[in-house]
Amino acid sequence: MNSAEMTAKMASGNGFIAALDQSGGSTPKALAGYGIEAGAWTSEEEMFGLIHEMRSRIIRSAAFTGDKVIGAILFERTMDGSVDGKSVPQALLDKGVVPFIKIDKGLEDEADGVQLMKPMPTLDALLTRAVAKGIFGTKERSVIDAANPKGIAAVVDQQFEIGRQVLAHGLVPIIEPEVTISIPDKAAAEDILLAEIRKHLDEVPAGKQVMLKLTLPTKPNLYKPLIDDPRVMRVVALSGGYSRDDANAKLKQNVGMIASFSRALTEGLSAQQSDAEFDAALGSAIDSIFQASRVGGKVAA
């Protein structure tokens, strides 16, 4: 796929984005969910080798194709790795899947009810490498833990500042200000977040678009104004700790939103499964998330 074909697929393709970007802090939990406990590795390198094999198994599966999975988000190490002799981005492109890369370096300590992203002093170099490897876009995550207007404004300011840096390299940023699903004032936080995002969309350079990755909202269709905004290529949903069934049910209530699930995608997959069992479980997961992502919006159902 060339750049225009990837843009068309992300803007109007039926399907969802697979989040295959667990990093250092979340890798042990992801491996445990896959049936590999902490004692199975003795170094960070071995740990990342195991998670890379899990991701490779997903990518090479016959169930994982661009017919239903239109994009995939990679961890930096995964972008630099290979699957069956091909670079991971090329392996995805060969299957019709648009590659993205997670660029944030983790989160700062909480302040004003939020966690901002840590500094990224080498971001320009990473973005240059990503372009050379055929990457289409980026993903950068912050966390909102309270309906604190000051904190949420700071999160959105930082997200769009990084987004402009990404756009300057010709890549499309997925802006991800995650609202924690368990907080008591989640609905209020989402109202504040929506207002802040709408203000910042005016800063998107002419002719450019961003994507948004947002927690499934308490109020269905809260983010419809963002879905309909011409400066937004796509609004995708994170599962945020919901089970796959719960995440799919909530996604179906939000017209035009598509999934970008991580844990909800890999739920039920196991290192102990045969290839046939693995492919069947992954295929079932993909089918259910695909159907939940086909509810109206910018793309006809």
Side-chain angles (χ1 to χ4, degrees):
M1 286 186 287
N2 59 33
S3 179
E5 290 168 336
M6 288 191 280
T7 298
K9 186 150 201 171
M10 293 317 308
S12 58
N14 273 319
F16 68 94
I17 298 173
L20 306 177
D21 60 329
Q22 299 92 348
S23 54
S26 57
T27 296
K29 187 173 182 180
L31 285 171
Y34 185 54
I36 300 177
E37 298 300 332
W41 63 86
T42 58
S43 68
E44 186 177 83
E45 285 300 315
E46 289 184 11
M47 179 186 74
F48 281 117
L50 290 168
I51 197 73
H52 182 72
E53 179 49 40
M54 183 187 86
R55 292 167 178 155
S56 298
R57 196 178 187 193
I58 290 170
I59 292 168
R60 69 167 63 98
S61 171
F64 190 89
T65 73
D67 293 337
K68 294 178 180 178
V69 182
I70 60 174
I73 304 168
L74 306 173
F75 181 44
E76 183 179 348
R77 282 175 178 252
T78 311
M79 179 188 77
D80 291 333
S82 62
V83 177
D84 299 335
K86 297 178 182 178
S87 74
V88 174
Q90 189 59 53
L92 290 171
L93 288 166
D94 286 350
K95 299 194 89 172
V97 179
V98 176
F100 291 79
I101 181 176
K102 165 188 159 70
I103 58 170
D104 66 83
K105 302 300 182 184
L107 301 169
E108 300 276 19
D109 292 337
E110 184 175 316
D112 297 318
V114 303
Q115 288 181 276
L116 296 172
M117 294 179 284
K118 289 181 177 178
M120 294 175 248
T122 60
L123 179 56
D124 282 319
L126 174 58
L127 296 174
T128 298
R129 285 201 300 116
V131 170
K133 287 178 177 286
I135 296 291
F136 176 75
T138 65
K139 191 211 78 166
E140 43 273 6
R141 172 178 173 264
S142 313
V143 172
I144 295 168
D145 285 324
N148 182 311
K150 180 181 177 183
I152 293 173
V155 160
V156 179
D157 281 345
Q158 185 190 43
Q159 282 280 350
F160 274 84
E161 180 183 355
I162 296 297
R164 288 190 294 275
Q165 190 173 353
V166 171
L167 287 167
H169 283 261
L171 298 165
V172 176
I174 300 178
I175 288 167
E176 183 186 11
E178 175 180 350
V179 178
T180 303
I181 64 172
S182 58
I183 60 174
D185 50 0
K186 177 173 177 283
E190 289 164 345
D191 286 338
I192 298 168
L193 176 61
L194 172 62
E196 286 294 328
I197 291 173
R198 294 187 78 175
K199 284 194 298 187
H200 281 74
L201 286 175
D202 290 336
E203 302 168 7
V204 175
K208 300 285 189 178
Q209 289 180 302
V210 300
M211 294 175 62
L212 300 165
K213 182 168 179 175
L214 304 172
T215 304
L216 288 157
T218 300
K219 291 180 279 190
N221 291 316
L222 176 71
Y223 297 126
K224 193 66 166 63
L226 303 177
I227 292 166
D228 293 338
D229 194 300
R231 297 163 295 190
V232 178
M233 182 177 289
R234 212 68 184 262
V235 178
V236 304
L238 59 99
S239 49
Y242 291 121
S243 70
R244 183 188 305 138
D245 287 346
D246 286 346
N248 283 341
K250 292 178 183 296
L251 182 57
K252 288 177 182 178
Q253 298 172 358
N254 289 275
V255 175
M257 227 175 169
I258 65 170
S260 177
F261 292 169
S262 174
R263 281 168 288 183
L265 172 64
T266 58
E267 181 184 313
L269 302 182
S270 169
Q272 289 73 42
Q273 290 167 330
S274 68
D275 287 345
E277 291 168 336
F278 180 90
D279 288 351
L282 180 61
S284 177
I286 287 172
D287 286 346
S288 71
I289 298 169
F290 174 74
Q291 291 302 328
S293 297
R294 282 173 59 86
V295 183
K298 287 185 175 179
V299 182

